[in-house]
Amino acid sequence: MSSSNRTGSSPLTVILTGIPSLPMSSYWMALPLCCLYLLMLPGNCTLLWMIKTDHSLHTSMYYFLSMLAMADLGLSLSTLPNMLAIFWFESTSLHFEACIVQMYFIHSFSAIKSGVLVAMVFDRFVAICYSLRYASVLTSSLIMKAGVGGVIFMRGICVVLPIAILIKKIPFCRSRVLSHSFCLHQDMLRLVCGDVRVNSLYRLTAVILTKGLDSLTILLSYMMIIRAILNIVSQEARAKAFSTYISHLCAVLIFYIPLIGLSIIHRFGKHLPPLTHTLLADACFLVLPVLNPLVYSWKTKQILRRILILLCRRGTQQRV
């Protein structure tokens, strides 16, 4: 199928794949996906609402946490609707342009989330290593300019845009069946019959400039944070300093480990069963946005206290 087919009477479509060895119309799979929605939407929206309404949470760490929640919402809303359509209604076909738009949002929000994690580790680095200068370095205005104002979000938006433009200009002549329930760039490149060297090279460059540099920055920052913590004489103070960034460490691990695993499998794991590719991709883009609100709510005392206050108020109102 060449690129000329896109301009014909029949628009180019791609075929999305559910989970291998599972019937396309499966209520047993649709039900867990609905549960993920019911956990993800209230979890992240509640986190955003609490940070906005509670003035004690108007600090740099919680501004970054609100950005992380927005990135998780964007990732989930980019992928879950397609999966629900597949398992509820057996709707597997997707217009090529819609597939490109979905691919763009998935990779953009993924890059944004990576940038937010870097900003959060920088916040913890300053708080632990330069605690006396923390308030002057990370002011609210600086956070707004660095985060919401543009740098983190604009990087994610702009670095992925050429990927979408490049893939729209190349011909597709192989099977139109994708190996996932949503559109990923590396998966779409398998359908191309033309030269993909430019696309692959730019994708590699984009990954290095985003997740590559981000993961290196996070690793170096953690090394400096751990060294600073180990230099603390008091064991109680050392435990307190460690607890201030353990939730961020969990968020980093549950984001980067599946993502790196998915990239390795796409590159070197062609011999593995299709189910392995599918489950790892679903873990990256479906399960992780649900975990972050749970991790931060459980490990962050301010958020946990706020949740308990809300629950107590609701219980009192019901008794009245």
Side-chain angles (χ1 to χ4, degrees):
M1 180 177 295
S2 65
S3 58
S4 61
N5 293 116
R6 300 177 198 172
T7 59
S9 58
S10 177
L12 177 62
T13 59
V14 295
I15 307 300
L16 302 174
T17 303
I19 295 180
S21 74
L22 199 68
M24 193 60 67
S25 178
S26 173
Y27 296 115
W28 293 105
M29 192 61 209
L31 187 60
L33 289 175
C34 288
C35 292
L36 282 177
Y37 247 138
L38 294 176
L39 286 172
M40 181 276 301
L41 282 173
N44 285 288
C45 290
T46 301
L47 204 59
L48 288 169
W49 179 79
M50 285 191 300
I51 293 172
K52 181 181 179 181
T53 57
D54 191 341
H55 291 284
S56 67
L57 301 180
H58 289 183
T59 63
S60 59
M61 183 177 75
Y62 295 105
Y63 280 129
F64 290 138
L65 183 54
S66 65
M67 296 178 203
L68 188 67
M70 286 189 283
D72 281 335
L73 281 170
L75 268 178
S76 294
L77 294 175
S78 299
T79 53
L80 273 173
N82 268 122
M83 294 201 70
L84 287 173
I86 289 172
F87 291 109
W88 279 119
F89 309 111
E90 297 185 55
S91 176
T92 59
S93 62
L94 189 67
H95 288 302
F96 178 75
E97 286 75 13
C99 189
I100 290 179
V101 171
Q102 186 188 53
M103 177 205 72
Y104 172 75
F105 280 115
I106 290 174
H107 290 293
S108 291
F109 281 117
S110 181
I112 289 169
K113 185 173 179 178
S114 179
V116 172
L117 290 173
V118 173
M120 293 177 77
V121 78
F122 177 72
D123 174 85
R124 295 298 85 202
F125 169 76
V126 176
I128 293 174
C129 299
Y130 300 96
S131 55
L132 297 178
R133 301 173 57 186
Y134 178 77
S136 61
V137 173
L138 290 171
T139 61
S140 297
S141 60
L142 176 61
I143 300 304
M144 297 301 290
K145 290 177 183 177
V148 180
V151 175
I152 294 174
F153 283 89
M154 287 305 297
R155 188 193 70 158
I157 291 170
C158 295
V159 78
V160 182
L161 187 59
I163 292 178
I165 295 173
L166 286 170
I167 202 168
K168 186 174 174 60
K169 296 180 179 296
I170 53 180
F172 286 74
C173 58
R174 297 181 186 174
S175 168
R176 296 176 295 155
V177 179
L178 297 174
S179 58
H180 297 295
S181 305
F182 37 82
C183 301
L184 298 177
H185 182 254
Q186 57 268 39
D187 198 17
M188 293 179 69
L189 285 183
R190 296 188 305 103
L191 312 183
V192 175
C193 64
D195 188 358
V196 298
R197 285 179 295 180
V198 175
N199 298 71
S200 299
L201 181 60
Y202 182 79
R203 177 177 173 272
L204 178 62
T205 304
V207 169
I208 292 174
L209 292 177
T210 53
K211 299 181 181 69
L213 288 178
D214 292 348
S215 57
L216 181 61
T217 303
I218 290 172
L219 179 62
L220 293 175
S221 298
Y222 272 138
M223 291 173 61
M224 299 179 71
I225 288 172
I226 293 172
R227 186 179 66 176
I229 292 176
L230 293 177
N231 288 333
I232 298 175
V233 177
S234 171
Q235 187 172 356
E236 183 180 351
R238 189 185 305 168
K240 184 178 179 180
F242 180 78
S243 66
T244 60
Y245 84 99
I246 189 64
S247 54
H248 180 268
L249 178 61
C250 293
V252 169
L253 292 177
I254 63 179
F255 175 71
Y256 278 105
I257 290 178
L259 203 63
I260 292 171
L262 183 63
S263 299
I264 292 173
I265 282 180
H266 267 289
R267 181 67 180 86
F268 302 106
K270 294 181 174 62
H271 62 284
L272 294 174
L275 183 61
T276 306
H277 296 248
T278 302
L279 292 180
L280 197 53
D282 291 348
C284 284
F285 301 111
L286 299 177
V287 180
L288 301 189
V290 178
L291 294 180
N292 278 327
L294 299 177
V295 168
Y296 276 97
S297 298
W298 179 253
K299 296 301 297 183
T300 306
K301 293 181 180 179
Q302 291 92 330
I303 293 179
L304 188 59
R305 186 178 66 245
R306 178 70 171 167
I307 292 175
L308 292 175
I309 291 172
L310 291 174
L311 291 176
C312 291
R313 287 178 179 174
R314 179 170 295 182
T316 303
Q317 291 173 355
Q318 289 177 349
R319 285 195 298 270
V320 172

